[in-house]
PDB file of all heavy atoms in Angstrom:
ATOM      1  N   ASP R 183     -13.141  11.683 -14.825  1.00 96.00           N
ATOM      2  CA  ASP R 183     -14.132  11.542 -13.752  1.00 96.00           C
ATOM      3  C   ASP R 183     -15.105  10.413 -14.070  1.00 96.00           C
ATOM      4  O   ASP R 183     -15.500   9.659 -13.181  1.00 96.00           O
ATOM      5  CB  ASP R 183     -14.899  12.847 -13.545  1.00 96.00           C
ATOM      6  CG  ASP R 183     -14.050  13.939 -12.919  1.00 96.00           C
ATOM      7  OD1 ASP R 183     -12.991  13.613 -12.340  1.00 96.00           O
ATOM      8  OD2 ASP R 183     -14.442  15.115 -13.008  1.00 96.00           O
ATOM      9  N   SER R 184     -15.467  10.294 -15.339  1.00 97.00           N
ATOM     10  CA  SER R 184     -16.396   9.247 -15.762  1.00 97.00           C
ATOM     11  C   SER R 184     -15.797   7.856 -15.551  1.00 97.00           C
ATOM     12  O   SER R 184     -16.472   6.947 -15.053  1.00 97.00           O
ATOM     13  CB  SER R 184     -16.764   9.445 -17.233  1.00 97.00           C
ATOM     14  OG  SER R 184     -17.554   8.386 -17.696  1.00 97.00           O
ATOM     15  N   ASN R 185     -14.539   7.675 -15.927  1.00 96.00           N
ATOM     16  CA  ASN R 185     -13.871   6.383 -15.726  1.00 96.00           C
ATOM     17  C   ASN R 185     -13.747   6.052 -14.248  1.00 96.00           C
ATOM     18  O   ASN R 185     -13.953   4.912 -13.836  1.00 96.00           O
ATOM     19  CB  ASN R 185     -12.480   6.379 -16.369  1.00 96.00           C
ATOM     20  CG  ASN R 185     -12.530   6.239 -17.868  1.00 96.00           C
ATOM     21  OD1 ASN R 185     -13.535   5.821 -18.435  1.00 96.00           O
ATOM     22  ND2 ASN R 185     -11.450   6.609 -18.531  1.00 96.00           N
ATOM     23  N   ILE R 186     -13.397   7.057 -13.459  1.00 97.00           N
ATOM     24  CA  ILE R 186     -13.270   6.836 -12.018  1.00 97.00           C
ATOM     25  C   ILE R 186     -14.619   6.469 -11.425  1.00 97.00           C
ATOM     26  O   ILE R 186     -14.730   5.496 -10.667  1.00 97.00           O
ATOM     27  CB  ILE R 186     -12.661   8.071 -11.320  1.00 97.00           C
ATOM     28  CG1 ILE R 186     -11.199   8.224 -11.736  1.00 97.00           C
ATOM     29  CG2 ILE R 186     -12.793   7.952  -9.801  1.00 97.00           C
ATOM     30  CD1 ILE R 186     -10.559   9.524 -11.293  1.00 97.00           C
ATOM     31  N   GLU R 187     -15.650   7.211 -11.768  1.00 97.00           N
ATOM     32  CA  GLU R 187     -16.989   6.922 -11.242  1.00 97.00           C
ATOM     33  C   GLU R 187     -17.446   5.523 -11.653  1.00 97.00           C
ATOM     34  O   GLU R 187     -18.027   4.792 -10.848  1.00 97.00           O
ATOM     35  CB  GLU R 187     -17.998   7.982 -11.706  1.00 97.00           C
ATOM     36  CG  GLU R 187     -19.364   7.820 -11.117  1.00 97.00           C
ATOM     37  CD  GLU R 187     -19.404   7.826  -9.585  1.00 97.00           C
ATOM     38  OE1 GLU R 187     -18.650   8.584  -8.954  1.00 97.00           O
ATOM     39  OE2 GLU R 187     -20.197   7.041  -9.021  1.00 97.00           O
ATOM     40  N   SER R 188     -17.154   5.132 -12.886  1.00 96.00           N
ATOM     41  CA  SER R 188     -17.548   3.798 -13.361  1.00 96.00           C
ATOM     42  C   SER R 188     -16.851   2.699 -12.566  1.00 96.00           C
ATOM     43  O   SER R 188     -17.487   1.722 -12.149  1.00 96.00           O
ATOM     44  CB  SER R 188     -17.212   3.633 -14.847  1.00 96.00           C
ATOM     45  OG  SER R 188     -18.022   4.466 -15.629  1.00 96.00           O
ATOM     46  N   VAL R 189     -15.547   2.844 -12.336  1.00 97.00           N
ATOM     47  CA  VAL R 189     -14.821   1.803 -11.608  1.00 97.00           C
ATOM     48  C   VAL R 189     -15.249   1.778 -10.144  1.00 97.00           C
ATOM     49  O   VAL R 189     -15.334   0.700  -9.538  1.00 97.00           O
ATOM     50  CB  VAL R 189     -13.284   1.931 -11.787  1.00 97.00           C
ATOM     51  CG1 VAL R 189     -12.676   2.986 -10.887  1.00 97.00           C
ATOM     52  CG2 VAL R 189     -12.598   0.602 -11.558  1.00 97.00           C
ATOM     53  N   LEU R 190     -15.551   2.944  -9.565  1.00 96.00           N
ATOM     54  CA  LEU R 190     -16.045   2.969  -8.185  1.00 96.00           C
ATOM     55  C   LEU R 190     -17.378   2.242  -8.085  1.00 96.00           C
ATOM     56  O   LEU R 190     -17.604   1.455  -7.163  1.00 96.00           O
ATOM     57  CB  LEU R 190     -16.199   4.403  -7.680  1.00 96.00           C
ATOM     58  CG  LEU R 190     -14.935   5.240  -7.525  1.00 96.00           C
ATOM     59  CD1 LEU R 190     -15.272   6.620  -6.980  1.00 96.00           C
ATOM     60  CD2 LEU R 190     -13.904   4.576  -6.661  1.00 96.00           C
ATOM     61  N   GLN R 191     -18.252   2.487  -9.042  1.00 97.00           N
ATOM     62  CA  GLN R 191     -19.568   1.841  -9.019  1.00 97.00           C
ATOM     63  C   GLN R 191     -19.440   0.332  -9.243  1.00 97.00           C
ATOM     64  O   GLN R 191     -20.109  -0.460  -8.582  1.00 97.00           O
ATOM     65  CB  GLN R 191     -20.502   2.458 -10.070  1.00 97.00           C
ATOM     66  CG  GLN R 191     -21.932   1.978  -9.966  1.00 97.00           C
ATOM     67  CD  GLN R 191     -22.572   2.335  -8.634  1.00 97.00           C
ATOM     68  OE1 GLN R 191     -22.515   3.473  -8.187  1.00 97.00           O
ATOM     69  NE2 GLN R 191     -23.168   1.348  -7.972  1.00 97.00           N
ATOM     70  N   MET R 192     -18.559  -0.069 -10.151  1.00 96.00           N
ATOM     71  CA  MET R 192     -18.357  -1.503 -10.389  1.00 96.00           C
ATOM     72  C   MET R 192     -17.772  -2.188  -9.168  1.00 96.00           C
ATOM     73  O   MET R 192     -18.186  -3.308  -8.833  1.00 96.00           O
ATOM     74  CB  MET R 192     -17.482  -1.722 -11.626  1.00 96.00           C
ATOM     75  CG  MET R 192     -18.197  -1.385 -12.923  1.00 96.00           C
ATOM     76  SD  MET R 192     -17.285  -1.840 -14.428  1.00 96.00           S
ATOM     77  CE  MET R 192     -15.911  -0.719 -14.343  1.00 96.00           C
ATOM     78  N   SER R 193     -16.851  -1.517  -8.485  1.00 97.00           N
ATOM     79  CA  SER R 193     -16.289  -2.097  -7.253  1.00 97.00           C
ATOM     80  C   SER R 193     -17.383  -2.243  -6.201  1.00 97.00           C
ATOM     81  O   SER R 193     -17.470  -3.277  -5.523  1.00 97.00           O
ATOM     82  CB  SER R 193     -15.160  -1.227  -6.716  1.00 97.00           C
ATOM     83  OG  SER R 193     -14.047  -1.284  -7.564  1.00 97.00           O
ATOM     84  N   TRP R 194     -18.207  -1.214  -6.049  1.00 98.00           N
ATOM     85  CA  TRP R 194     -19.304  -1.270  -5.079  1.00 98.00           C
ATOM     86  C   TRP R 194     -20.273  -2.381  -5.422  1.00 98.00           C
ATOM     87  O   TRP R 194     -20.671  -3.170  -4.567  1.00 98.00           O
ATOM     88  CB  TRP R 194     -20.009   0.077  -4.996  1.00 98.00           C
ATOM     89  CG  TRP R 194     -21.203   0.050  -4.099  1.00 98.00           C
ATOM     90  CD1 TRP R 194     -22.510   0.121  -4.471  1.00 98.00           C
ATOM     91  CD2 TRP R 194     -21.200  -0.119  -2.683  1.00 98.00           C
ATOM     92  NE1 TRP R 194     -23.321   0.021  -3.372  1.00 98.00           N
ATOM     93  CE2 TRP R 194     -22.544  -0.117  -2.257  1.00 98.00           C
ATOM     94  CE3 TRP R 194     -20.201  -0.254  -1.725  1.00 98.00           C
ATOM     95  CZ2 TRP R 194     -22.917  -0.261  -0.915  1.00 98.00           C
ATOM     96  CZ3 TRP R 194     -20.563  -0.402  -0.393  1.00 98.00           C
ATOM     97  CH2 TRP R 194     -21.912  -0.405   0.002  1.00 98.00           C
ATOM     98  N   ASP R 195     -20.654  -2.467  -6.697  1.00 97.00           N
ATOM     99  CA  ASP R 195     -21.604  -3.493  -7.138  1.00 97.00           C
ATOM    100  C   ASP R 195     -21.062  -4.897  -6.880  1.00 97.00           C
ATOM    101  O   ASP R 195     -21.836  -5.811  -6.598  1.00 97.00           O
ATOM    102  CB  ASP R 195     -21.924  -3.332  -8.632  1.00 97.00           C
ATOM    103  CG  ASP R 195     -22.770  -2.097  -8.924  1.00 97.00           C
ATOM    104  OD1 ASP R 195     -23.366  -1.518  -7.980  1.00 97.00           O
ATOM    105  OD2 ASP R 195     -22.822  -1.699 -10.104  1.00 97.00           O
ATOM    106  N   ALA R 196     -19.745  -5.050  -6.956  1.00 97.00           N
ATOM    107  CA  ALA R 196     -19.140  -6.364  -6.764  1.00 97.00           C
ATOM    108  C   ALA R 196     -19.185  -6.838  -5.311  1.00 97.00           C
ATOM    109  O   ALA R 196     -19.206  -8.036  -5.062  1.00 97.00           O
ATOM    110  CB  ALA R 196     -17.702  -6.344  -7.245  1.00 97.00           C
ATOM    111  N   ILE R 197     -19.236  -5.904  -4.357  1.00 98.00           N
ATOM    112  CA  ILE R 197     -19.154  -6.320  -2.955  1.00 98.00           C
ATOM    113  C   ILE R 197     -20.437  -6.093  -2.165  1.00 98.00           C
ATOM    114  O   ILE R 197     -20.605  -6.662  -1.088  1.00 98.00           O
ATOM    115  CB  ILE R 197     -17.986  -5.642  -2.221  1.00 98.00           C
ATOM    116  CG1 ILE R 197     -18.201  -4.132  -2.073  1.00 98.00           C
ATOM    117  CG2 ILE R 197     -16.668  -5.951  -2.913  1.00 98.00           C
ATOM    118  CD1 ILE R 197     -17.232  -3.462  -1.125  1.00 98.00           C
ATOM    119  N   LYS R 198     -21.347  -5.284  -2.677  1.00 98.00           N
ATOM    120  CA  LYS R 198     -22.571  -4.990  -1.912  1.00 98.00           C
ATOM    121  C   LYS R 198     -23.506  -6.193  -1.918  1.00 98.00           C
ATOM    122  O   LYS R 198     -23.429  -7.063  -2.788  1.00 98.00           O
ATOM    123  CB  LYS R 198     -23.282  -3.775  -2.479  1.00 98.00           C
ATOM    124  CG  LYS R 198     -23.975  -4.055  -3.814  1.00 98.00           C
ATOM    125  CD  LYS R 198     -24.741  -2.878  -4.311  1.00 98.00           C
ATOM    126  CE  LYS R 198     -25.446  -3.278  -5.593  1.00 98.00           C
ATOM    127  NZ  LYS R 198     -26.363  -2.292  -6.078  1.00 98.00           N
TER     128      LYS R 198
END
Side-chain angles (χ1 to χ4, degrees):
D183 289 342
S184 175
N185 284 342
I186 291 171
E187 185 57 38
S188 292
V189 80
L190 294 181
Q191 188 62 49
M192 289 188 293
S193 291
W194 176 251
D195 289 344
I197 67 168
K198 73 176 183 172

